[in-house]
C-alpha cells in the first residue's frame, strides 16, 4: 500500500505549498510510513510542471523509493498496488520496479495498454512518459485502490491526483477517478490550449462479447457525466484495454431442483443434501480451490522469510502475526480465515479483528432515558447526557453486539478445525466519544468524497476494525493488544457476486433470474465507487493494506462463468439460499454453524448504526461527515457542559 499524489501545473514558477496546506501530505504519509519522496518534471515549450509525491509502505522485495525515475528516458512512476499474477515478479523483486521496467520498454500506446491489461491484482498508478509529454493514470478494473482527482481552473494546479484528500470549503471538490479505464493527459496539448484534455481508454471485453456501451458509461462512469466544463474528455474506442475477467453467465436454469424443500429454517442438513450430490460437491471443491489460491497469493509475504531467518538466529522467537482478517463472524469472513489457515505458517498467529460499538452509558437504560435519546438529534440535549453519565450501569455488556457474539462462535469453529493455530480474537470496543473524536480528526476526510450515512457507518466501522487495537484473551488471560499485521483480508465482493443481500431476494421474487443477473452485474460494476475506494483509504490510513480475495480475477471469472442458480437459490430460506455456493464451501470445510448464518450488514452487526441515529436512511447525506457537524458543536463546547 502506498500513498501517491501528482499535481499538474501550467506555470513555470513552482507554486508554494502545492500540497501542504491541505494536510494531504500527512494523510499520504500515514498510508506509506516507510519512505517519502517528491520530484518535479517540467516541459518548456509550452511550459508545464508535474509534481510527483510518493509514500511507501514496504511489503515486498527491497524497499523501493517512490516516485521511481528512469534516468535514461526521464519517465516517472507512482504505483499503489500489488501484482498477484499476469506479470512475473521474483520473490526478491519489487513489483513497482518490474512494472516500471515493462512500461519504460513500451514503444507504443497499445504496448502500454497491453502491459496494464495483463496485470492481475489491485492497483492505481500515475505514469509520466517523458518522450511524449504524457501522463497516464487509472485504477484496476474493480477499482480496488483509491485514486481521486481534482480539476481546477487555476493554471497553477489544473489537475491533482491523490490516493486520499480532504474536502475544503474554498477548494474545488475532489472525486474518485472512475475505474472505467486508463486515462491519458497530453501535457503539451493542455499547455497549448490552457485546459484539461483527457483521453479515456475504457475497459473492453474481448471482441465478440456483449457488454453494452450503456453498461460502461451508465454504471461504471457516473463521475464522467459531470466533469467541469473546462475539462474535455475523448473516449478512444480501440478496445485496447482488455477486461481481466470473463463475462457474466446469464443462462437461465430449467427449474429449481430442490423445490421439494419445505420449512423455512436454515439448517445445515439442507447443505448436506446438496453436498451428497457428486456434481455439486465437485463444483464446491472447484470453488474452494480457486478461492484458496486467491487467499494464498494474498497471505504469502516475502517479508516473512527474513523474519523466519531472524527467528532462527534468535532461537524460537515467537512469530508476529502478518495477516489479519476483518472478522464479523459472518460466513464470508470465517471462510477467509479458514483458508488463510491453510497457507500461513502454523506457528504464526492470525489476528481476527472484531469491532463493536456501544455507548456504555446507554446499557440497560430505561424508558425515560430512551425517550430522551430520541430527542437528542434535534436538541443539544445536555439533560440526556447528564442523565446517562450518572447512571450506574454495567459498561461491559453493551459491547456484546451481534457481530461480537457470532465472532466468538466463529472463533470456536476455527479453533475446532485447527486447534494448533493460535487465533487472536481482537475485541475492539468503540465508545461514542471515541467515534466522534476520530471521525472528526481523521475518518471523515478518508471517507470523502463519499458522503452518505452508509459511507459514514461503514467507513468508521472499518477504520476502527482495521486499526486492530483491542483486547485479546489468551489461555484465560485477557490483555490489551494491537495487531501488528500489515495485511488485512476482507470479505467484500462475496455478497455482490453470490447474491447475499436481502435486496437480491426481493429482486428475484419480482423479476426472476433475469432481473437478478442484471442486479448482480450492476452491483459488481459499481463496487469501486460504492465501496472499494473508500475502504482502501480507510484501511490504508493505518499503514496497512486491504486485500480482497473474493475480487481476485480468477475467483470472479470462476463465479462469472457459473449460472446464477449455482451460486444462490433464493427459493430456499434465509441463511441457506443466499450465497449458497459459499455456504456449501464453508460446510465442506467443517464450519457447520457459521455456514447457515444469515447475512447481517456491518453497520447493524457492529451496532454503529444504532449509536447515533435510527431515523436516517442509509442513502441520506451524512451531516456528521461535514468537517464541523452541527450536531456535535454544542456537545464539544466545555462551557456548555
Ligand atoms: C515500515 O513502517 C512501519 C510503521 O512505521 C514499521 O513498523 C516497519 O518496521 C517499517 N518497515 C521497514 C522495512 O522499515
Ligand atoms: C486510439 O488509441 C490508439 C492507441 O493509442 C490509437 O492508435 C488510435 O489512433 C486511437 N483512436 C482514435 C480514434 O484516436
Ligand atoms: C449483443 O446484444 C444484442 C442485444 O441483446 C444482440 O442483439 C446482439 O446479437 C448481441 N451481440 C453478440 C455478439 O452477442
Ligand atoms: C428508570 O427511570 C426512573 C425515572 O423515570 C428512575 O426512577 C429509575 O431508577 C430508572 N431505572 C433505572 C434502572 O435506571
Ligand atoms: C469489550 O466488550 C466485551 C464484550 O463483548 C467485554 O467482555 C470487554 O470487557 C470489553 N472491553 C473493554 C475494555 O471495555
Amino acid at each position: 500500500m502506498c500513498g501517491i499524489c501528482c499535481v499538474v501545473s501550467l506555470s513555470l514558477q513552482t507554486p508554494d505549498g502545492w500540497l501542504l496546506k491541505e494536510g494531504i501530505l500527512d494523510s499520504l504519509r500515514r498510508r506509506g510510513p516507510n519512505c517519502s519522496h517528491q520530484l518535479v518534471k517540467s516541459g518548456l515549450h509550452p511550459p508545464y510542471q508535474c509534481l510527483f509525491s510518493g509514500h511507501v509502505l514496504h511489503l515486498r522485495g527491497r524497499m523501493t523509493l517512490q516516485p521511481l525515475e528512469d534516468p535514461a528516458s526521464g519517465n516517472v512512476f507512482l504505483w499503489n498496488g500489488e501484482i498477484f499474477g499476469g506479470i512475473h515478479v521474483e520473490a526478491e523483486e519489487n513489483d513497482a520496479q518490474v512494472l516500471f521496467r515493462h512500461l519504460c520498454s513500451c514503444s507504443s500506446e497499445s504496448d502500454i495498454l497491453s502491459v496494464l491489461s495483463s496485470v492481475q491484482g489491485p492497483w492505481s498508478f500515475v505514469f509520466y512518459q517523458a518522450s511524449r509529454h504524457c501522463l497516464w493514470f487509472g485504477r484496476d478494473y474493480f477499482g480496488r485502490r483509491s485514486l481521486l482527482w481534482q480539476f481546477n481552473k487555476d493554471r497553477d494546479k489544473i489537475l491533482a491526483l491523490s490516493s486520499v484528500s480532504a474536502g475544503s470549503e474554498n477548494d474545488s471538490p475532489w472525486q474518485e477517478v472512475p475505474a472505467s479505464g486508463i486515462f491519458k493527459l497530453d501535457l503539451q496539448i493542455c499547455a497549448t490550449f490552457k485546459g484539461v484534455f483527457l483521453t479515456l481508454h475504457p475497459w473492453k471485453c474481448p471482441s465478440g462479447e456483449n457488454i453494452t456501451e450503456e453498461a460502461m458509461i451508465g454504471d461504471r462512469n457516473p463521475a464522467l457525466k459531470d466533469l467541469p466544463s473546462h475539462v474535455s474528455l475523448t473516449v478512444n474506442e480501440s478496445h485496447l484495454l482488455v477486461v481481466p475477467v470473463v463475462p457474466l453467465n446469464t443462462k437461465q436454469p430449467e427449474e429449481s431442483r430442490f423445490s421439494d424443500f419445505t420449512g423455512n429454517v436454515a439448517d445445515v442438513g439442507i447443505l448436506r443434501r446438496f453436498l451428497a450430490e457428486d456434481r455439486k460437491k465437485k463444483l464446491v471443491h472447484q470453488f474452494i480451490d480457486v478461492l484458496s489460491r486467491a487467499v494464498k497469493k494474498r497471505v504469502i509475504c516475502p517479508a516473512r522469510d527474513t523474519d523466519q531467518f531472524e527467528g532462527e538466529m534468535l532461537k524460537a522467537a515467537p512469530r508476529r502475526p502478518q495477516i489479519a482478517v476483518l472478522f464479523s463472524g459472518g460466513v464470508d469472513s470465517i471462510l477467509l480465515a479458514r483458508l488463510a489457515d491453510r497457507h500461513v505458517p502454523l506457528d504464526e498467529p492470525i489476528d481476527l479483528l472484531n469491532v463493536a460499538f456501544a455507548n456504555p452509558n446507554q446499557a440497560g437504560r430505561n424508558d425515560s432515558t430512551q425517550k430522551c435519546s430520541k430527542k437528542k438529534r434535534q436538541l443539544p440535549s445536555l439533560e440526556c447526557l447528564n442523565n446517562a453519565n450518572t447512571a450506574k450501569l454495567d459498561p461491559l455488556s453493551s459491547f456484546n453486539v451481534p457481530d461480537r457474539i457470532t465472532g466468538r462462535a466463529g472463533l470456536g469453529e476455527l479453533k475446532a478445525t485447527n486447534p494448533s493455530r493460535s487465533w487472536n480474537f481482537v475485541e475492539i470496543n468503540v465508545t461514542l466519544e471515541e467515534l466522534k473524536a476520530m471521525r472528526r480528526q481523521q475518518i471523515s476526510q478518508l471517507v470523502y468524497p463519499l458522503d452518505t450515512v452508509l459511507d459514514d457507518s461503514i467507513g468508521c466501522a472499518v477504520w476502527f476494525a482495521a486499526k486492530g487495537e483491542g483486547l485479546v484473551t489468551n489461555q484465560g488471560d485477557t490483555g490489551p493488544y494491537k495487531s501488528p499485521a500489515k495485511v488485512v483480508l476482507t470479505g467484500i465482493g462475496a455478497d455482490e457476486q453470490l447474491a447475499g443481500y436481502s435486496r437480491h431476494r426481493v429482486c428475484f421474487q419480482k423479476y426472476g433470474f433475469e432481473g437478478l443477473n442484471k442486479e448482480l452485474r450492476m452491483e459488481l460494476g459499481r463496487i469501486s465507487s460504492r465501496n472499494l475506494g473508500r475502504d482502501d483509504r480507510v484501511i490504508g490510513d493505518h499503514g496497512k493494506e486491504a486485500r480482497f480475495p473474493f475480487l481476485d480475477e480468477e475467483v470472479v471469472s470462476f463465479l462469472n462463468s457459473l449460472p446464477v442458480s449455482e451460486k444462490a437459490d433464493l427459493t430456499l430460506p434465509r441463511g441457506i439460499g443466499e450465497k449458497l455456493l459459499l455456504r456449501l464451501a464453508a460446510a465442506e470445510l467443517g464450519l457447520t454453524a457459521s455456514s447457515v448464518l444469515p447475512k447481517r450488514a456491518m453497520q447493524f452487526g457492529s451496532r454503529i448504526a444504532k449509536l447515533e441515529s435510527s431515523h436516517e436512511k442509509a442513502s441520506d447525506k451524512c451531516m456528521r461527515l461535514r468537517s464541523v457537524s452541527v450536531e456535535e458543536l454544542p456537545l464539544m463546547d466545555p462551557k456548555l457542559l
Side-chain angles (χ1 to χ4, degrees):
M1 172 76 60
C2 301
I4 62 177
C5 178
C6 171
V7 182
V8 180
S9 158
L10 298 182
S11 96
L12 270 190
Q13 281 120 36
T14 308
D16 294 336
W18 258 357
L19 292 169
L20 287 163
K21 64 175 178 197
E22 291 168 63
I24 292 181
L25 267 181
D26 288 340
S27 303
L28 290 168
R29 272 199 211 102
R30 279 199 298 275
R31 291 175 63 90
N34 292 125
C35 59
S36 293
H37 185 56
Q38 302 204 149
L39 67 84
V40 174
K41 285 278 167 183
S42 42
L44 275 180
H45 303 293
Y48 69 80
Q49 285 193 95
C50 300
L51 169 77
F52 299 90
S53 179
H55 309 264
V56 176
L57 170 69
H58 178 70
L59 282 173
R60 69 198 279 188
R62 256 195 222 118
M63 167 84 89
T64 306
L65 201 67
Q66 287 206 37
L68 292 156
E69 188 180 13
D70 178 39
S73 59
N75 294 346
V76 175
F77 189 45
L78 288 169
W79 172 250
N80 172 28
E82 291 288 343
I83 299 181
F84 289 131
I87 287 185
H88 185 70
V89 182
E90 295 288 343
E92 70 283 1
E93 276 182 314
N94 176 274
D95 57 342
Q97 240 157 10
V98 172
L99 185 58
F100 188 40
R101 211 163 54 223
H102 279 276
L103 288 172
C104 286
S105 68
C106 289
S107 55
S108 69
E109 296 201 341
S110 59
D111 285 353
I112 291 179
L113 295 166
S114 116
V115 166
L116 292 166
S117 295
S118 64
V119 178
Q120 293 188 359
W123 48 263
S124 63
F125 79 101
V126 180
F127 173 56
Y128 170 72
Q129 194 185 13
S131 62
R132 309 236 172 144
H133 303 276
C134 279
L135 202 62
W136 297 80
F137 58 91
R139 300 163 71 192
D140 72 82
Y141 179 67
F142 300 114
R144 287 165 286 185
R145 291 289 175 258
S146 169
L147 190 64
L148 308 175
W149 63 16
Q150 181 197 42
F151 299 103
N152 249 295
K153 281 207 162 134
D154 180 1
R155 262 197 270 159
D156 280 352
K157 183 177 155 186
I158 57 161
L159 170 68
L161 297 164
S162 179
S163 307
V164 56
S165 167
S168 147
E169 301 262 312
N170 339 325
D171 219 355
S172 329
W174 292 77
Q175 282 188 313
E176 293 191 330
V177 173
S180 41
I182 304 286
F183 293 88
K184 187 188 83 173
L185 186 75
D186 187 319
L187 293 160
Q188 283 189 319
I189 295 182
C190 294
T192 307
F193 298 99
K194 313 281 182 248
V196 180
F197 293 85
L198 286 171
T199 304
L200 166 65
H201 289 273
W203 292 104
K204 287 287 175 182
C205 285
S207 54
E209 302 298 350
N210 212 346
I211 265 232
T212 59
E213 207 49 37
E214 180 201 2
M216 292 298 304
I217 301 297
D219 299 340
R220 294 182 65 86
N221 310 3
L224 291 181
K225 285 184 184 155
D226 42 56
L227 290 175
S229 56
H230 65 287
V231 177
S232 129
L233 176 75
T234 311
V235 179
N236 180 308
E237 297 289 354
S238 301
H239 298 216
L240 290 167
L241 194 64
V242 182
V243 170
V245 294
V246 306
L248 188 68
N249 179 339
T250 52
K251 218 176 82 194
Q252 313 264 335
E254 292 91 63
E255 61 183 294
S256 176
R257 283 168 321 128
F258 271 86
S259 46
D260 61 334
F261 172 81
T262 50
N264 52 23
V265 190
D267 172 1
V268 72
I270 307 173
L271 296 180
R272 297 229 168 84
R273 273 170 67 191
F274 277 102
L275 287 167
E277 196 192 329
D278 277 351
R279 194 195 64 87
K280 200 72 179 177
K281 190 163 179 136
K282 206 171 137 214
L283 188 70
V284 168
H285 277 269
Q286 283 173 347
F287 178 50
I288 293 175
D289 290 347
V290 72
L291 187 61
S292 176
R293 275 201 301 279
V295 170
K296 182 177 179 184
K297 288 178 215 166
R298 284 161 178 77
V299 303
I300 291 182
C301 306
R304 191 178 279 133
D305 301 332
T306 48
D307 266 21
Q308 188 176 19
F309 181 65
E310 282 165 19
E312 274 164 19
M313 303 279 286
L314 299 168
K315 294 265 185 308
R319 285 202 199 240
R320 273 153 51 97
Q322 310 269 353
I323 306 297
V325 184
L326 286 193
F327 193 75
S328 65
V331 60
D332 313 346
S333 60
I334 299 192
L335 188 57
L336 290 185
R338 175 79 175 84
L339 291 173
D341 177 50
R342 283 187 171 180
H343 307 294
V344 171
L346 192 56
D347 54 346
E348 179 183 303
I350 295 178
D351 288 347
L352 307 172
L353 311 178
N354 183 271
V355 68
F357 289 82
N359 187 348
N361 298 323
Q362 284 177 359
R365 60 194 176 154
N366 68 17
D367 282 345
S368 65
T369 49
Q370 262 173 20
K371 242 183 249 148
C372 214
S373 81
K374 276 193 185 142
K375 273 190 300 193
K376 198 163 103 186
R377 267 165 308 100
Q378 290 118 39
L379 305 163
S381 171
L382 305 176
E383 183 200 351
C384 292
L385 221 70
N386 290 336
N387 275 357
N389 282 338
T390 48
K392 289 261 182 303
L393 299 160
D394 174 14
L396 301 185
S397 60
S398 56
F399 288 106
N400 280 324
V401 304
D403 278 0
R404 180 63 46 84
I405 294 161
T406 51
R408 282 213 193 93
L411 172 69
E413 290 208 317
L414 289 169
K415 278 183 172 162
T417 54
N418 187 356
S420 14
R421 162 84 55 195
S422 148
W423 301 97
N424 291 325
F425 182 67
V426 189
E427 303 190 25
I428 300 158
N429 298 348
V430 186
T431 63
L432 182 58
E433 286 68 29
E434 282 175 280
L435 170 64
K436 286 187 166 181
M438 294 322 293
R439 176 194 284 128
R440 193 169 41 243
Q441 264 177 45
Q442 250 152 293
I443 307 172
S444 62
Q445 60 163 310
L446 299 167
V447 170
Y448 177 84
L450 272 54
D451 60 1
T452 65
V453 166
L454 189 66
D455 292 320
D456 173 54
S457 298
I458 298 194
C460 291
V462 170
W463 190 88
F464 278 101
K467 189 174 177 211
E469 260 182 69
L471 294 179
V472 162
T473 304
N474 239 326
Q475 274 133 24
D477 292 337
T478 302
Y481 179 80
K482 180 160 173 40
S483 169
K486 294 275 177 277
V487 171
V488 179
L489 300 181
T490 104
I492 196 153
D495 290 307
E496 287 79 0
Q497 294 180 82
L498 290 140
Y501 292 115
S502 45
R503 61 172 176 266
H504 294 141
R505 217 165 251 280
V506 176
C507 178
F508 176 68
Q509 275 153 13
K510 278 195 184 155
Y511 308 110
F513 283 108
E514 200 183 333
L516 182 59
N517 273 325
K518 245 192 194 153
E519 174 73 16
L520 295 179
R521 169 183 287 156
M522 188 270 286
E523 287 184 8
L524 196 60
R526 71 176 187 195
I527 196 170
S528 66
S529 55
R530 286 293 177 103
N531 305 83
L532 296 175
R534 177 198 63 212
D535 291 353
D536 175 61
R537 289 191 292 281
V538 163
I539 295 173
D541 192 54
H542 301 293
K544 300 183 180 190
E545 180 164 296
R547 296 189 178 171
F548 313 101
F550 288 107
L551 293 172
D552 177 87
E553 286 81 353
E554 278 188 69
V555 171
V556 176
S557 279
F558 175 78
L559 292 173
N560 272 2
S561 72
L562 302 177
V564 67
S565 51
E566 298 284 6
K567 294 179 263 191
D569 182 343
L570 301 180
T571 62
L572 293 175
R574 246 168 71 74
I576 296 274
E578 339 84 73
K579 295 187 279 195
L580 175 62
L581 183 62
L582 188 115
R583 295 177 188 285
L584 291 170
E588 187 66 4
L589 290 171
L591 305 166
T592 46
S594 340
S595 66
V596 291
L597 285 174
K599 163 81 188 170
R600 197 173 43 230
M602 186 177 198
Q603 66 273 26
F604 303 121
S606 68
R607 284 272 159 86
I608 186 171
K610 252 198 147 172
L611 206 50
E612 286 165 303
S613 183
S614 49
H615 299 290
E616 295 168 333
K617 277 204 299 218
S619 57
D620 288 349
K621 297 264 178 273
C622 181
M623 298 305 283
R624 294 181 295 278
L625 284 173
R626 304 260 171 109
S627 33
V628 182
S629 135
V630 207
E631 175 198 358
E632 278 170 14
L633 256 182
L635 297 182
M636 290 323 294
D637 189 341
K639 272 176 293 184
L640 282 171
L641 282 176

